[in-house]
Amino acid sequence: MGGRHRTDELDGGYNPYQEPSSRRRAGRGKVLVPLAGAVALAVLLGVAAYVIMSRDQGCGENKVALQVVASPDIAPAITKIAASFSNSSTPVNGSCVTVSVKDSDPAGVTNSIAGSGATAGRFDADMWIPDSSLWVAKLRSTPKGSGISAPAVGSIARSPVILTAPKPVVEKLSSAFGEPSWSGLMSAANAATPDGLGRRIRVLPLDPTQNAAGLSALLAGAGILKASGAGDEQLVGVLRQLSESAVTSPANMFATMGKQSTRAPIGIASEQSIWAFNNKSDEGQMVGLYPAEGTISLDYPVLITAKDQATRDAAKAFTTALTSTASRKTIRDNGFRTPDGKPGGAISQANGLNPKAPRALKIPDAETVNELAQAWSRLKLGGRILALLDISGTMALPAVGAPGDRMRLISQTAIEGLKLFPDKTEIGTWVFSTNLNGKGVDHREAVPIGPVGGPLNGTTRREVIARSLATIRAKETGDTGLNDTLAAAYDKMKAEYEADKINTILIFTDGVGNDDPEGGVTNAEILRKLRDEFDETQPISVIIIALGANDAAGRRQMQNLAKATQGEAFFPNNALEIRKVFLEGISRRLCAPNCNGPSQ
């Protein structure tokens, strides 16, 4: 039942699966592909097995053992259909067929066949029924999966991917959210608008790397955003926010929804998973909310992976059985729609669902699907950031487009930007001007680098940084000292480089100006250092946010510094542009270290 599942953080572990003792007859051919490590997929994935033995129909020694791997949600329906098929009196080419059905996570099967991920192993089955053709497309795009044949049947069932919420909060959601829609969901999940719907609504997505429903929802939402004319930074804001709240399974999502919160929860799930939860749970009903724009459905294709002809013939016969009238009834009885969108009695208002089929959205092409999946993975990478804050004399000058001086605006900018980074991001801050830490030392550490959500001085590093920024003041007699500071920061980040993170130096300044009249690193020297030492295999990018930097020569210098490290220089005109700049900076991890777009 939904409320008894372990939370997302407690997932883990496998239950070993023992191979059935009765094997198929000799000579049925090798497995689909030779994969490194002869570890059985069933052992790796902890699958449950359902073995349906055929009755003795007088076939003698002419028997074929057909092994089917199906997505866990549809496996019970396939098992029932297999039992009927196995017990029928109709042989296939004179042979009786014994069917065994195992449930196994489609993401794990995809990794196993492709030879990637933690579940890379040996796939030994004759048929595969994943929950979505998205897995098939992903598999066929890999070297080891490129030889997979097209599905024998494009779809044996459908389950629309929709929004869901506990019944008691639906009215509250309606008040805050209006009509259910992908555009509303994306707005509520956008890190760029934390003061909007996100203050009242808590979005719980499914991890798209592990769930086809999660990926389908992202594809639908991203398509709606693009059609509305939204820029890439808005999509990045959504992905960044969703990546922090994503759960690994529908069970974990439903369990998380039951937790008390000041914000109304809304999740993403397949229609069938909502039915399955409501069918078993005594902890409150979930309601399906159908996006106004339409949606993408899970489509349950059937792939025949057997090699020898006798088993392939048996698989084809079973595939035909899966589309029979009786099989379609079984599928509908288990909370699915048939491929034409028709529901059974399980899809009803009483079960929190709408029998009317939602409008179908077209699945994007393979390139778009891969780009979105890669964007999600890149944005989940950890970050390591050293922020350098200019406190030189010119920072005491009035700001443009905001009350107070430039120092106050820079501080507010940094505090706002801090909100966009997840807790695991490692951040530290330096302040810089001339002679800050003794003669000739132009920088001083304000907060050491560490996880922004981690403990520091009795609170979190995020809070310590925010307090430091709020009290920072300009050194009225100080010059910039940027070059010496940047050289020292680059040396530090190189020495402490972390390969599993995006390593960045983030500079807040009002321009190069009078760098250091007492000497130190020149403009030409710092530029040469960055160009000579930048390493694409261990990239450390420089991102510059310059407020009030109107000097043309200074702008060119900052652009050159950023470009030397595949970074970028931004010149926002006022406070309203700050959040967009931060999101654009975050979006650069999608292309790092090969971001060669023009500086702004």
Side-chain angles (χ1 to χ4, degrees):
M1 298 192 303
R4 299 194 183 118
H5 286 86
R6 302 178 71 180
T7 62
D8 191 39
E9 291 76 16
L10 298 179
D11 278 351
Y14 298 102
N15 297 317
Y17 164 73
Q18 303 294 329
E19 284 283 356
S21 58
S22 61
R23 298 295 295 163
R24 288 166 280 189
R25 61 194 180 109
R28 68 171 296 263
K30 297 182 179 180
V31 296
L32 176 63
V33 287
L35 299 176
V39 183
L41 170 66
V43 174
L44 289 168
L45 299 181
V47 298
Y50 306 87
V51 180
I52 302 92
M53 303 302 297
S54 64
R55 295 174 183 168
D56 185 357
Q57 302 294 340
C59 301
E61 296 298 319
N62 297 324
K63 296 180 180 179
V64 175
L66 185 67
Q67 293 190 4
V68 180
V69 170
S71 180
D73 51 351
I74 203 169
I78 302 301
T79 300
K80 185 174 182 180
I81 296 168
S84 177
F85 177 81
S86 297
N87 291 328
S88 69
S89 58
T90 304
V92 178
N93 295 336
S95 299
C96 290
V97 179
T98 298
V99 181
S100 65
V101 180
K102 299 184 293 187
D103 71 45
S104 191
D105 172 55
V109 174
T110 302
N111 288 335
S112 181
I113 298 176
S116 61
T119 56
R122 182 168 60 93
F123 182 78
D124 187 10
D126 307 305
M127 294 178 64
W128 180 36
I129 307 175
D131 57 1
S132 173
S133 56
L134 290 171
W135 298 119
V136 182
K138 178 181 178 181
L139 181 59
R140 295 180 75 182
S141 68
T142 67
K144 290 185 177 180
S146 58
I148 294 287
S149 300
V153 173
S155 176
I156 59 169
R158 287 196 178 274
S159 188
V161 176
I162 57 177
L163 310 179
T164 185
K167 189 174 183 178
V169 304
V170 169
E171 185 175 342
K172 182 179 179 181
L173 275 173
S174 179
S175 175
F177 202 72
E179 184 180 28
S181 65
W182 293 119
S183 57
L185 184 83
M186 301 298 266
S187 177
N190 196 342
T193 55
D195 297 328
L197 281 174
R199 295 185 64 183
R200 293 176 288 169
I201 296 176
R202 176 170 55 117
V203 180
L204 294 170
L206 293 170
D207 188 333
T209 64
Q210 301 183 53
N211 295 272
L215 180 55
S216 296
L218 274 189
L219 291 169
I224 298 301
L225 268 184
K226 183 177 180 180
S228 71
D232 288 344
E233 74 280 354
Q234 288 185 262
L235 177 59
V236 168
V238 171
L239 295 181
R240 216 289 294 152
Q241 189 76 6
L242 291 181
S243 67
E244 290 303 300
S245 57
V247 294
T248 57
S249 68
N252 288 330
M253 182 196 66
F254 292 134
T256 303
M257 278 188 157
K259 297 178 180 179
Q260 293 293 324
S261 175
T262 56
R263 296 182 295 163
I266 186 168
I268 293 166
S270 71
E271 191 179 60
Q272 193 275 342
S273 69
I274 298 171
W275 170 83
F277 177 84
N278 289 341
N279 193 46
K280 295 179 180 180
S281 175
D282 57 4
E283 299 178 12
Q285 187 183 60
M286 293 292 169
V287 176
L289 305 172
Y290 294 77
E293 304 95 338
T295 192
I296 295 172
S297 292
L298 304 183
D299 56 354
Y300 302 88
V302 177
L303 284 83
I304 295 176
T305 55
K307 289 294 185 181
D308 68 272
Q309 193 58 50
T311 310
R312 289 186 65 82
D313 289 344
K316 290 177 182 178
F318 183 55
T319 298
T320 300
L322 289 171
T323 62
S324 70
T325 300
S327 295
R328 291 189 172 211
K329 182 180 185 305
T330 298
I331 286 169
R332 288 194 294 264
D333 288 346
N334 279 265
F336 298 93
R337 297 173 185 260
T338 44
D340 56 7
K342 292 182 179 178
I347 306 299
S348 65
Q349 296 287 351
N351 288 332
L353 302 169
N354 188 348
K356 182 181 178 181
R359 186 166 72 90
L361 295 179
K362 183 180 179 181
I363 297 178
D365 57 49
E367 182 178 358
T368 300
V369 174
N370 288 335
E371 285 178 354
L372 188 62
Q374 290 170 7
W376 176 273
S377 298
R378 297 278 302 188
L379 286 170
K380 282 188 71 66
L381 285 175
R384 193 166 193 274
I385 300 170
L386 178 55
L388 312 179
L389 290 97
D390 185 351
I391 62 168
S392 62
T394 55
M395 298 299 289
L397 295 175
V400 177
D405 58 25
R406 295 177 181 178
M407 190 74 259
R408 179 181 178 186
L409 181 54
I410 285 285
S411 300
Q412 291 176 336
T413 295
I415 291 172
E416 283 296 300
L418 193 65
K419 297 176 182 178
L420 300 178
F421 293 101
D423 285 348
K424 67 180 180 180
T425 305
E426 295 183 5
I427 299 179
T429 61
W430 288 4
V431 293
F432 67 92
S433 182
T434 47
N435 303 320
L436 271 190
N437 205 17
K439 184 70 172 177
V441 181
D442 295 343
H443 69 274
R444 183 178 67 243
E445 181 180 76
V447 181
I449 297 178
V452 72
L456 184 65
N457 299 336
T459 183
T460 65
R461 178 172 271 96
R462 189 189 301 274
E463 181 60 27
V464 170
I465 294 175
R467 289 175 183 173
S468 173
L469 293 171
T471 58
I472 201 168
R473 296 292 181 267
K475 181 183 178 183
E476 294 187 3
T477 60
D479 291 296
T480 304
L482 172 61
N483 292 345
D484 284 18
T485 301
L486 178 53
Y490 200 81
D491 289 342
K492 175 181 175 64
M493 293 294 281
K494 278 181 59 180
E496 301 175 1
Y497 183 84
E498 296 188 17
D500 62 337
K501 297 179 175 65
I502 303 295
N503 296 256
T504 306
I505 296 172
L506 179 59
I507 301 173
F508 297 90
T509 184
D510 64 347
V512 174
N514 185 16
D515 183 66
D516 190 345
E518 299 180 12
V521 179
T522 67
N523 286 351
E525 287 171 342
I526 187 61
L527 188 55
R528 183 164 55 249
K529 174 183 175 67
L530 296 180
R531 286 171 174 168
D532 290 346
E533 297 184 18
F534 179 75
D535 183 354
E536 287 195 0
T537 65
Q538 294 188 341
I540 301 167
S541 294
V542 174
I543 305 294
I544 301 176
I545 298 177
L547 293 164
N550 298 318
D551 174 63
R555 283 196 174 206
R556 282 195 301 272
Q557 174 67 4
M558 286 185 282
Q559 289 171 335
N560 289 334
L561 291 174
K563 284 184 177 180
T565 60
Q566 302 281 354
E568 192 161 1
F570 297 96
F571 304 101
N573 292 315
N574 53 59
L576 297 177
E577 297 182 11
I578 298 304
R579 189 177 294 275
K580 180 179 178 181
V581 166
F582 266 98
L583 289 172
E584 288 179 350
I586 293 173
S587 70
R588 292 184 60 78
R589 65 177 56 194
L590 304 184
C591 58
N594 298 307
C595 301
N596 287 308
S599 295
Q600 298 185 13

